């Protein structure tokens, strides 16, 4: 049965769609390419490369005949890497413009793998069932209750594992979060929500049929994000 999501989820999803398809569009396209970027952004790019590699290393090496959801795929790097290992990937993002970039960037030959690109909500039940779901940095803007509600929704359609990242509540991030609030509302990007790991683990403990597995925090200059694995048991 579908969980009723808190309304904060829908509002934030719409704010993110607007942000990633307008204000942040070009910066995001550059960040996820080989284009030269500033020193700060280069640290973010390096951290994100590291995070993508970590998440991919938590998936089976051979992904043939395996359905994978790249939830919040952005410009599609993770979807392409999974498809190159044979996966049948659905890459979905609420920012339709980024999905177009992903579609254009994806190689036409993917061996055994394939990718279905979709614009929309990662929680759309019409997407079907997946063995693995990966949400890299796509749930970091949601409040903990919305993040966990989204995960529990995804859990109903996932048979093996869900890999996601959250923004760990460190002292530095909490300060940056507060500083961000000083800017006028119109200048702000949708805030990243620092989430305390202990609180998150407690909330996830109530997900029936799922166990918390590996975790890995990655910090590189201005990038800090933590991967967490949920594994279906029984
Ligand atoms: C920080 S970007 C990360 C993109 C990609 N996962 C990567 O690591 O390159 C977050 C992405 O999540 C997408 N997103 C956020 N909430 C979403 C939702 N509910 N459904 C689909 N996409 C979502 C945003 O539009 C944005 O493209």
């Amino acid at each position: 049965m579908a969980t009723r999501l808190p309304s904060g989820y829908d509002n934030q999803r719409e704010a993110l769609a607007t942000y990633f398809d307008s204000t942040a569009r070009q910066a995001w396209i550059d960040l996820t390419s080989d284009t030269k970027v500033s020193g700060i952004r280069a640290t973010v790019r390096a951290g994100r490369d590291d995070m993508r590699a970590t998440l991919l290393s938590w998936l089976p090496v051979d992904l043939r005949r395996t359905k994978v959801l790249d939830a919040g795929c952005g410009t599609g790097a993770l979807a392409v890497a999974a498809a190159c290992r044979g996966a049948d990937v659905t890459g979905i993002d609420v920012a339709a413009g980024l999905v177009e970039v992903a579609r254009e960037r994806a190689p036409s030959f993917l061996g055994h793998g394939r990718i279905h690109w979709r614009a929309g909500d990662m929680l759309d039940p019409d997407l079907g069932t997946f063995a693995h779901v990966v949400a890299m940095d796509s749930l970091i803007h949601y409040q903990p209750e919305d993040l966990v509600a989204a995960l529990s929704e995804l859990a109903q359609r996932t048979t093996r594992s869900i890999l996601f990242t959250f923004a760990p509540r460190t002292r530095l991030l909490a300060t940056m979060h507060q500083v961000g609030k000083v800017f006028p509302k119109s200048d702000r990007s949708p805030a990243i929500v620092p989430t305390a790991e202990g609180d998150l683990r407690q909330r996830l403990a109530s997900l029936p049929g799922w166990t918390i597995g590996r975790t890995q925090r990655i910090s590189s200059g201005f990038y800090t994000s933590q991967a967490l694995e949920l594994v279906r048991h029984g």
Side-chain angles (χ1 to χ4, degrees):
M1 206 178 72
T3 323
R4 213 178 140 60
L5 283 158
S7 60
Y9 174 86
D10 290 338
N11 295 340
Q12 190 65 329
R13 186 194 58 226
E14 292 317 305
L16 290 167
T18 307
Y19 175 68
F20 280 102
D21 259 346
S22 55
T23 327
R25 181 184 153 82
Q26 194 54 49
W28 198 254
I29 288 173
D30 292 347
L31 185 69
T32 57
S33 70
D34 295 334
T35 308
K36 199 167 161 33
V37 286
S38 71
I40 288 174
R41 288 195 178 170
T43 66
V44 174
R45 184 187 274 168
R48 287 178 32 76
D49 287 348
D50 202 357
M51 177 58 85
R52 193 180 319 107
T54 300
L55 294 168
L56 286 163
S57 76
W58 291 357
L59 293 174
V61 174
D62 184 355
L63 285 169
R64 280 174 297 174
R65 293 175 295 281
T66 306
K67 288 184 77 179
V68 173
L69 177 67
D70 184 356
C73 62
T75 53
L78 192 139
V80 168
C84 287
R85 279 157 54 179
D88 179 353
V89 183
T90 296
I92 186 161
D93 201 289
V94 72
L98 292 187
V99 179
E100 278 318 304
V101 175
R103 197 192 299 272
E104 282 160 21
R105 280 186 182 173
S108 50
F109 181 71
L110 289 163
H112 290 281
R114 56 188 192 147
I115 309 178
H116 317 269
W117 298 110
R118 299 267 183 278
D121 185 358
M122 64 169 85
L123 300 187
D124 182 350
D126 291 345
L127 296 174
T129 302
F130 297 89
H132 304 278
V133 172
V134 187
M136 173 170 156
D137 295 345
S138 45
L139 291 169
I140 56 175
H141 297 91
Y142 294 88
Q143 293 297 326
E145 61 271 25
D146 297 337
L147 162 65
V148 172
L151 290 170
S152 87
E153 189 83 1
L154 290 168
Q156 294 174 45
R157 329 194 176 112
T158 310
T159 56
R160 293 173 66 184
S161 75
I162 300 176
L163 315 178
F164 72 99
T165 64
F166 65 97
R169 175 173 278 283
T170 62
R171 207 174 297 150
L172 176 64
L173 278 184
T175 310
M176 282 162 66
H177 186 65
Q178 286 310 321
V179 170
K181 286 186 178 162
V182 172
F183 293 108
K185 231 181 176 166
S186 55
D187 292 354
R188 276 191 236 148
S189 56
I192 290 174
V193 180
T195 301
E197 184 176 350
D199 174 53
L200 183 59
R201 282 178 179 271
Q202 229 169 29
R203 290 174 190 266
L204 291 172
S206 63
L207 263 188
W210 291 83
T211 310
I212 298 175
R214 290 168 276 195
T215 190
Q216 177 74 48
R217 184 177 295 184
I218 289 170
S219 296
S220 163
F222 273 64
Y223 180 81
T224 298
S225 187
Q226 184 164 341
L228 199 64
E229 178 187 42
L230 291 170
V231 185
R232 190 180 271 287
H233 61 73

